[in-house]
Amino acid sequence: MAEQSFDEFYREFGFSSYPFNSFTAENEKDDQERLFVSTRLYSPIVQSFKEGQTLIISGDRGTGKTSILYDFSRHASEDTLFCKVDDYSPLQEKYSESDIYRFLISTIANSFFQDAAKGKLYHGKLSDDQRVLLAYYYVNFASDSTRGLANRAIKAIQLSPAKRFGIAAYNFFRNPLNILANASTSLLADVVAKATGAAAISQQASEYFPEVSAALESELPAADATFEALRRLNQLILKAGYRRITVVFDKIDEDNRFDNAAEEIADFISPILANNKLLLDDTFQFVCSLWVVPLNFIKDKVRTQKISSPLLKWQHDDLVRAFDRRIEVFSGRESCRFSTLFAEDVSSELKTAILDLSNSNPRDLWHLFNQIFRCQFVLDSTAEKISREACERGMIAFVDQFNFYEYYPRKANARANSMDVYAYIKHLQKLDSPTFTRNQLNDKAGTGSSTLNYTVGMENLGLIDKDVTDKGENQYWIRDPKVRFALAHGIEIKKPN
């Protein structure tokens, strides 16, 4: 059989399009609902969301935090004001408490007024004073993109539909009424003049029916960015007809200002996550999706006993279900499954090793299968199943080409020769086993008096974990399966050039 193109190759597996080209939820927005698969531990998370609880959702990169937020938006009711934030540029790196209140007020106000511009403003329950107060928030906190509808929005806020209709109807008919009144007055003057023999009096047109203005409050006080101002806005929005206000923070760790430095990310979000007055307020729901590494730096400041703080973890069966759903979406066939892709020479142990190497992480699994498929194409472009050799080569390529900087933080303002994830991995690769003590690390890697600092640094990165033995000695193990795989197969992990 003649060699095939890559398109022809993957179609032999039943795919209408290639399932492993995209690795982020943002790039698959149109298919999010069809692709979404929850883990076995997801039901308590979504239940907490539906109950309006504050949530801090953490996990490694690629564990589906953003996908869960998309699912939350689908679960939000029609009368929920859902405000998603993924741009933090209005906040300085070192911001005050007033700054965060201003940021939240602006976020909520803009979402509300954008709904108002779409005709979703429920003003029937608001008094005149409350409508004026909403106009205050509009004038002081609406963004430039929202201000294009300023006059119309403020009228909609401050005046009830009945008042707006009455004023508009009156102003529409006042010109004909003025003409009729002036004509009647002139006719009456002529009659009187003829009856008395007096000279006719020239009449100036008069405005018997003056224009009625909307009497809008245009002189509003300056902005007041306080916690009470935030609460007042939330109460007004709830009074206007919304049942819940939900503010979602996502992608804080992707802010370019922090350059993947976990400690800087932690410092940035800490004033918000440590503000219990804000997080436990009953006028709105706060949801934060955060990379677990910076969260670990500030866990002692966050009231996790009062705030639901689930850590996203994927078991093997969760990953297989997510994989099966993905290839079903990309093939349109329910018969296309993880279990049906492999040739007979692929053992169950090798399949388990593939799932292990994905690090309980769907994104890693997609990257890994991308390498496996490409290796199979190079080995045999006419194959209809994935062979053992393709699996083994793909696993090696996945580890060898993996960019650890995408998953592990850099040290802020670090020198070129300072310790980072690649420097730590270089030490770990000198070990004989993925399980070790400090003495063994010192013996093999020559870390000397810095051994304790190295183990603490690797723990903070999430690269290793620690157990305490029966003898009270700290025993460590390499947490990242890619590093364990490299150690077992003699692969040298090198820093990208």
Side-chain angles (χ1 to χ4, degrees):
M1 185 182 292
E3 291 187 357
Q4 302 184 96
S5 68
F6 191 73
D7 284 353
E8 292 170 322
F9 166 70
Y10 70 70
R11 288 195 177 103
E12 289 293 333
F13 285 81
F15 303 138
S16 55
S17 56
Y18 188 54
F20 309 113
N21 257 345
S22 181
F23 307 103
T24 64
E26 295 81 6
N27 291 335
E28 297 175 333
K29 285 183 181 179
D30 294 341
D31 290 318
Q32 263 299 305
E33 188 167 3
R34 291 196 299 156
L35 287 170
F36 182 77
V37 170
S38 61
T39 67
R40 287 183 298 173
L41 297 176
Y42 181 60
S43 56
I45 299 174
V46 75
Q47 180 180 338
S48 296
F49 171 76
K50 289 179 178 179
E51 291 173 354
Q53 296 182 28
T54 289
L55 281 162
I56 301 174
I57 302 169
S58 64
D60 289 322
R61 285 174 171 167
T63 50
K65 299 185 294 297
T66 297
S67 293
I68 282 179
L69 299 185
Y70 281 125
D71 191 55
F72 282 179
S73 69
R74 294 191 292 269
H75 278 99
S77 59
E78 286 282 330
D79 52 4
T80 294
L81 185 66
F82 194 86
C83 317
K84 186 176 179 183
V85 183
D86 55 18
D87 177 15
Y88 304 90
S89 56
L91 281 175
Q92 299 294 321
E93 289 185 46
K94 302 296 181 183
Y95 54 84
S96 66
E97 191 171 354
S98 177
D99 291 334
I100 187 56
Y101 295 143
R102 176 180 294 278
F103 183 67
L104 286 170
I105 291 170
S106 178
T107 296
I108 294 171
N110 277 291
S111 295
F112 176 73
F113 292 125
Q114 285 165 11
D115 271 9
K118 298 172 185 174
K120 295 182 180 179
L121 181 64
Y122 308 107
H123 41 60
K125 298 179 182 178
L126 296 178
S127 67
D128 290 342
D129 288 344
Q130 288 170 331
R131 293 192 186 100
V132 170
L133 186 54
L134 271 179
Y136 154 81
Y137 284 105
Y138 184 91
V139 168
N140 285 298
F141 296 100
S143 65
D144 291 340
S145 61
T146 309
R147 289 186 184 281
L149 300 170
N151 290 333
R152 191 173 78 185
I154 290 179
K155 286 180 182 179
I157 293 165
Q158 293 196 41
L159 299 175
S160 68
K163 281 186 178 180
R164 292 201 308 276
F165 176 79
I167 291 171
Y170 170 83
N171 287 330
F172 179 80
F173 288 109
R174 73 180 187 85
N175 282 334
L177 290 172
N178 275 322
I179 293 171
L180 181 61
N182 277 286
S184 300
T185 303
S186 295
L187 179 62
L188 180 61
D190 285 344
V191 171
V192 171
K194 288 178 180 178
T196 60
I201 300 172
S202 176
Q203 295 287 326
Q204 296 289 329
S206 299
E207 191 166 4
Y208 295 96
F209 297 92
E211 181 178 5
V212 176
S213 71
L216 301 179
E217 294 285 342
S218 57
E219 296 298 325
L220 295 168
D224 177 23
T226 63
F227 179 66
E228 284 308 311
L230 173 64
R231 281 183 58 85
R232 284 199 302 271
L233 172 62
N234 293 342
Q235 288 164 347
L236 282 172
I237 292 173
L238 295 172
K239 181 79 172 174
Y242 285 92
R243 186 177 64 86
R244 180 186 301 169
I245 302 164
T246 299
V247 178
V248 172
F249 276 23
D250 190 24
K251 301 188 180 304
I252 300 165
D253 56 292
E254 295 183 18
D255 192 306
N256 291 332
R257 292 174 293 180
F258 308 129
D259 195 25
N260 211 29
E263 291 182 63
E264 287 193 2
I265 297 166
D267 289 342
F268 179 77
I269 194 60
S270 178
I272 298 173
L273 297 189
N275 189 331
N276 297 313
K277 177 175 64 176
L278 178 68
L279 267 59
L280 299 176
D281 184 65
D282 61 359
T283 63
F284 79 115
Q285 177 185 26
F286 181 80
V287 178
C288 181
S289 163
L290 187 61
W291 182 24
V292 68
V293 178
L295 181 61
N296 286 337
F297 282 103
I298 56 172
K299 265 196 168 178
D300 59 327
K301 301 177 183 177
V302 181
R303 299 278 300 273
T304 53
Q305 296 301 314
K306 287 193 172 184
I307 297 169
S308 181
S309 306
L311 175 66
L312 299 184
K313 297 290 288 185
W314 291 75
Q315 304 299 326
H316 281 189
D317 59 339
D318 295 325
L319 289 172
V320 170
R321 284 190 300 106
F323 187 92
D324 287 349
R325 176 70 60 82
R326 187 174 193 85
I327 61 176
E328 178 185 332
V329 168
F330 281 87
S331 68
R333 293 162 44 186
E334 291 185 9
S335 59
C336 204
R337 289 285 184 266
F338 179 86
S339 58
T340 65
L341 290 178
F342 301 98
E344 292 183 358
D345 64 344
V346 179
S347 65
S348 59
E349 289 79 12
L350 184 53
K351 295 174 187 175
T352 299
I354 290 171
L355 295 172
D356 283 338
L357 191 56
S358 69
N359 196 20
S360 303
N361 189 314
R363 187 186 299 171
D364 275 9
L365 188 59
W366 312 156
H367 277 288
L368 176 51
F369 263 89
N370 182 47
Q371 294 289 358
I372 290 173
F373 263 88
R374 292 180 185 278
C375 286
Q376 182 62 69
F377 177 71
V378 171
L379 287 168
D380 181 4
S381 65
T382 65
E384 297 179 6
K385 298 285 184 179
I386 296 172
S387 67
R388 176 186 57 79
E389 186 177 0
C391 291
E392 293 171 346
R393 287 192 184 188
M395 294 166 78
I396 291 171
F398 170 69
V399 172
D400 185 55
Q401 298 175 28
F402 192 86
N403 182 2
F404 286 84
Y405 281 142
E406 290 187 9
Y407 279 51
Y408 292 96
R410 298 171 188 255
K411 184 76 173 177
N413 302 317
R415 298 188 305 274
N417 63 346
S418 61
M419 299 303 294
D420 64 8
V421 63
Y422 282 96
Y424 287 132
I425 289 173
K426 188 174 182 180
H427 286 310
L428 293 175
Q429 289 195 288
K430 296 175 182 176
L431 295 168
D432 296 326
S433 165
T435 303
F436 62 96
T437 64
R438 286 182 194 154
N439 287 336
Q440 289 170 332
L441 179 64
N442 182 31
D443 290 342
K444 295 294 181 181
T447 49
S449 60
S450 299
T451 302
L452 176 59
N453 293 334
Y454 286 164
T455 54
V456 170
M458 288 187 281
E459 275 190 273
N460 288 337
L461 286 184
L463 191 58
I464 65 172
D465 273 338
K466 176 176 66 178
D467 291 319
V468 179
T469 65
D470 294 338
K471 299 179 180 179
E473 182 183 25
N474 288 334
Q475 182 164 294
Y476 302 88
W477 59 282
I478 300 173
R479 180 173 175 266
D480 193 316
K482 296 180 291 297
V483 180
R484 296 199 302 267
F485 184 91
L487 184 64
H489 292 81
I491 302 170
E492 183 181 1
I493 296 175
K494 297 178 181 179
K495 183 183 296 190
N497 294 328

